[in-house]
Amino acid sequence: MQPPTPTMPANANIYQALRNAFPADQGSTAIETDSGLFYTWRDLERGSAMLANFLQSLDLPAGSRIAVQVDKSVEALMLYLATLRAGLVYLPLNTAYQSAEMAYFISDAEPAVVVCSAQNFGWVSKLGFQAGTPWVFTLNDDRTGSLLNRAAHASDQHTPAIKQPDDLAVIIYTSGTTGRSKGAMLSHGNMLSNALVLKDYWGWRQAEQGGDVLIHALPIFHVHGLFVAIHGALINGSMMIWCSKFDPKYVIQALPRATVFMGVPTLYVRLLAEPGLTAKACQHMRLFISGSAPLLMDTFTSWQNRTGHTILERYGMSETVMLTSNPYWGERRGGTVGAPLPGVDLRIVDEQGQTVIGGEIGDIQVKGPNVFAGYWRLPEKTAQEFTADGFFKTGDVGRQDSDGYVTIVGRSKDLIISGGYNVYPAELESFINDLPGVLESAVVGVPHVDFGEVGLAVVVPRPGAQLDAAQILASLKAAVANYKVPKQCVVVPDLPRNAMGKVQKNLLRECYGAPQNR
Ligand code: MCA
Ligand code: AMP
């Protein structure tokens, strides 16, 4: 039987719920970093209070966006918490985004505050001021920057703003299948309901039960690292071992002091490549969780054989936070993403929109308190992505077994997931098509030993033009986030098309899809 869906507290501000779970001993360690720093629970509370007071002193209009593109640090986490407690809207941005990508996000979201690293201040502040952003501050990963200087004068006492479950908390940009990124608007209720469900579902141990210790090795500008991992630890008063960057050797060395690890499949592949990953190293661990991309059966079984632990795979999206999970108590079935979480209504539908049963394959649609309200300033796009009866169309294709387990078999959206990051072919194709001498192009995902899947660009020259594949990749590298750049490019005379004139990407994958390892 599924546990009941948790009810919302009077103040749905998720910071308040996290704060309520901090251990009574505020002087104990909340975060230990890989650079040897220790932060107490009191540090988190006071540091985020000072930043919240500082943000509020700017007298920003209600609903103002705070756009943040900074390297991972505990101070960046405090800024996130401060934004929540001040009742403003957090907008995290991948540090790999380059100028054109940042220009788009800043002009679309119109943030009142932009926070960037001192190193990027020149170009980011220019973009901010051009878009009418009144405040641009810096925050570096070494506890310096104008944001901290300014907040140093603020009070360290702060009462979290009162929020209703539907109040906007965060905008997460997800790239679009048309090439245009959309800001998914997540509310305090979306995130809090999900955090409360996962608290029970994954059997987090409270301090009096010995407590959990999470190794936090993911970036903090996406749902996985920011919400699933951080909310998970904080709402259980659990300490984090904080890795500024994923380093498999450091993680293995930290395992004997930890109990929970979360990663995208690439992290598991890289850990398996380390001889130091042994059953003994993992004997103190309680739980390994994987998500954001498909976990290969080979990785699942190799992990079981090497460590004696069965990875728990779960499935979610930026628009919905977590949707399904294999059980903590019960069978973790490799190749599946488990059953819908309590409160999540999941159905598989055919092309006519009819629900299918009996393990038939179809489109995955979902509904629940965790599902977002819509895309920022895109009401028509939002309406297209929901059915008349309020289900969100995930764009994932799968089946559900009679005992509830869901298997994702593909995607109806044209998306490549590379090392846990989403790469949208349409964005890259549009850039390549604009290069001199290019007639058309197609970008497809091909298997990759480390990243699971990577992009391959297939490009057709204009009649008489000579194209250099390496130059095409170099042009892309100068323009878009590095993880989006295809690992390979081939120049061909034409693209295969079906009778409707649509490019047959499956044929390109078959032709060029030999597993890549570099
Ligand atoms: C780095 N590179 C990549 C990727 N990452 N190429 C393809 N895909 C990637 N994901 C390339 C860079 O372009 C660079 O190439 C070279 O690798 C080295 O870059 P570096 O930054 O040093 O790489 P790394 O530190 O080894 O990073 C690999 C990583 C990272 C640790 C696997 O990609 C990562 O942290 N991934 C996790 C992403 C994540 O958190 N996803 C969650 C999304 P060059 O040298 O040629 O420039 S949230 C989500 O999906 C939903 C909601 C969910 O369900 O969780
Ligand atoms: P994002 O836009 O970053 O939120 O990525 C969401 C997408 O990641 C989903 O729609 C799925 O396609 C994919 N995804 C997340 N978790 C899993 C998983 N465990 N297995 C397969 N795909 C996943």
Side-chain angles (χ1 to χ4, degrees), residues 218-219 222-224 245-246 264 266-267 270 291-292 314-318 322 418-422 451 454 477 482-483 487:
L218 288 162
H222 288 303
V223 163
H224 199 160
K245 203 172 182 306
F246 172 67
V264 301
T266 300
L267 270 51
R270 291 189 182 182
S292 307
R314 63 30 170 209
Y315 156 60
M317 294 183 73
S318 298
M322 295 302 99
S418 184
Y421 285 139
N422 288 4
F451 294 122
V454 292
K477 203 164 185 172
N482 59 7
Y483 65 87
K487 302 289 181 219

Side-chain angles (χ1 to χ4, degrees), residues 5 7 56 58 105 177 229 262-263 273 297 320 336 352 356 438 451-452:
T5 315
T7 46
Q56 284 184 331
L58 301 176
F105 296 124
T177 38
M262 292 184 194
M297 260 325 264
T320 64
T336 81
Q352 283 71 45
V356 298
V438 172
F451 294 122

Side-chain angles (χ1 to χ4, degrees), residues 240-387:
M240 285 187 267
I241 297 178
W242 186 262
C243 310
S244 47
K245 203 172 182 306
F246 172 67
D247 171 359
K249 290 195 168 52
Y250 181 82
V251 169
I252 290 172
Q253 185 213 311
L255 287 172
R257 293 179 295 124
T259 59
V260 182
F261 177 79
M262 292 184 194
V264 301
T266 300
L267 270 51
Y268 288 98
V269 170
R270 291 189 182 182
L271 284 165
L272 278 166
E274 293 291 327
L277 182 81
T278 59
K280 187 157 184 287
C282 297
Q283 68 188 10
H284 190 244
M285 289 294 289
R286 180 175 74 77
L287 184 57
F288 289 94
I289 300 171
S290 175
S292 307
L295 182 73
L296 296 183
M297 260 325 264
D298 182 44
T299 313
F300 179 84
T301 45
S302 301
W303 194 269
Q304 237 171 4
N305 294 339
R306 182 89 79 83
T307 69
H309 284 268
T310 305
I311 297 175
L312 178 157
E313 185 171 5
R314 63 30 170 209
Y315 156 60
M317 294 183 73
S318 298
E319 289 91 336
T320 64
V321 210
M322 295 302 99
L323 290 166
T324 71
S325 173
N326 271 282
Y328 177 62
W329 295 276
E331 186 197 355
R332 295 180 208 159
R333 204 174 289 169
T336 81
V337 292
L341 288 166
V344 175
D345 208 351
L346 180 146
R347 69 187 183 194
I348 313 278
V349 301
D350 62 18
E351 278 172 12
Q352 283 71 45
Q354 297 302 312
T355 302
V356 298
I357 45 167
E360 239 180 279
I361 289 173
D363 292 327
I364 302 176
Q365 298 185 344
V366 293
K367 199 180 197 177
N370 51 315
V371 176
F372 77 140
Y375 294 109
W376 172 252
R377 291 180 178 163
L378 290 174
E380 283 167 19
K381 184 74 196 157
T382 302
Q384 282 167 17
E385 299 298 325
F386 282 87
T387 62

Side-chain angles (χ1 to χ4, degrees), residues 17 58 86 101 112 159 188 206 235 359 363 419-420 428 439-440 508 510 514:
L58 301 176
E101 293 154 317
T159 305
H188 284 268
Q206 306 306 301
I235 209 157
D363 292 327
L428 303 177
L439 181 66
E440 60 174 350
L508 293 175
E510 276 168 28

